[in-house]
């Protein structure tokens, strides 16, 4: 921060911010539509935990299509930043990144991954992200809906 100023605290945030805006546009509609589908034969205001968990997991699965490349780029940019700091501290003895992994920014990172590894490269770690997002959003939406159900009272949500 001393050499780069307070804006250095926000380096690498563009990709996650853009990704999160898109993710919110995926998670909530997917959850809502899936829950409505699962509860289509239920009485209005019915609170069924397993259906909420399933709808949340579906929302997480849909979102992982966007979050996988976004998080891959974020992670790679963090590694570039870490390597640059190490080189400043230790000098040339710290070694360096392969020139193909020394990205100038998020877009450069995405282009190089795609050029070298294709679409599969952008989805490196997809299964792990999918499993994490499915269980994470299942519990996120369950907690959200449980809170709403508790605050509003049975049959009023």
């Amino acid at each position: 921060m001393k050499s780069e100023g307070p804006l250095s605290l926000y380096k690498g945030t563009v990709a996650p911010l853009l990704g999160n805006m898109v993710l919110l546009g995926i998670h909530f509609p997917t959850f809502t539509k899936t829950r409505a589908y699962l509860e289509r034969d239920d009485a209005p205001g019915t609170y069924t935990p397993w259906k909420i968990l399933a709808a949340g997991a579906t929302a997480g699965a849909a979102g992982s299509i966007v979050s996988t490349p976004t998080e891959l780029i974020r992670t790679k940019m963090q590694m570039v930043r870490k390597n640059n700091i190490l080189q400043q501290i230790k000098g040339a003895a710290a070694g360096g990144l392969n020139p193909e992994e020394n990205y100038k920014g998020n877009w450069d990172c995405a282009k190089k991954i795609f050029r070298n590894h294709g679409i599969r490269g952008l989805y490196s770690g997809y299964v792990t992200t999918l499993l994490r997002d499915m269980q994470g959003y299942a519990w996120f939406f369950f907690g959200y809906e449980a809170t709403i159900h508790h605050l509003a009272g049975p049959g009023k949500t």
Side-chain angles (χ1 to χ4, degrees):
M1 191 160 120
K2 185 177 180 181
S3 64
E4 297 180 44
L7 290 179
S8 67
L9 296 172
Y10 298 98
K11 281 191 175 183
T13 59
V14 173
L17 285 175
L18 293 175
N20 281 329
M21 289 187 322
V22 173
L23 286 172
L24 290 174
I26 294 170
H27 288 139
F28 281 92
T30 302
F31 171 78
T32 302
K33 297 274 188 195
T34 304
R35 183 179 180 190
Y37 175 77
L38 294 173
E39 294 178 342
R40 68 190 178 282
D41 297 328
D42 296 352
T46 302
Y47 176 76
T48 312
W50 78 264
K51 292 179 181 180
I52 293 168
L53 287 165
T58 303
S64 67
I65 294 167
V66 172
S67 64
T68 298
T70 300
E71 292 191 17
L72 177 70
I73 291 166
R74 176 186 53 83
T75 301
K76 288 193 173 282
M77 292 306 298
Q78 287 174 338
M79 294 304 296
V80 168
R81 179 86 175 117
K82 179 182 173 186
N83 186 65
N84 290 341
I85 290 169
L86 282 174
Q87 282 188 323
Q88 287 177 358
I89 294 169
K90 296 182 179 181
L97 291 173
N98 172 336
E100 279 298 311
E101 293 177 348
N102 197 9
Y103 311 110
K104 296 177 184 118
N106 295 326
W107 185 243
D108 182 53
C109 179
K111 287 191 307 189
K112 285 181 178 176
I113 293 169
F114 185 75
R115 182 179 62 229
N116 294 328
H117 306 286
I119 196 77
R120 291 186 110 179
L122 289 171
Y123 282 88
S124 177
Y126 175 70
V127 172
T128 304
T129 303
L130 174 70
L131 294 174
R132 181 204 64 194
D133 286 356
M134 286 180 71
Q135 64 86 28
Y137 283 100
W139 291 109
F140 168 81
F141 281 108
F142 178 78
Y144 174 79
E145 291 295 328
T147 302
I148 296 297
H149 180 75
H150 176 73
L151 293 175
K156 295 183 180 175
T157 59

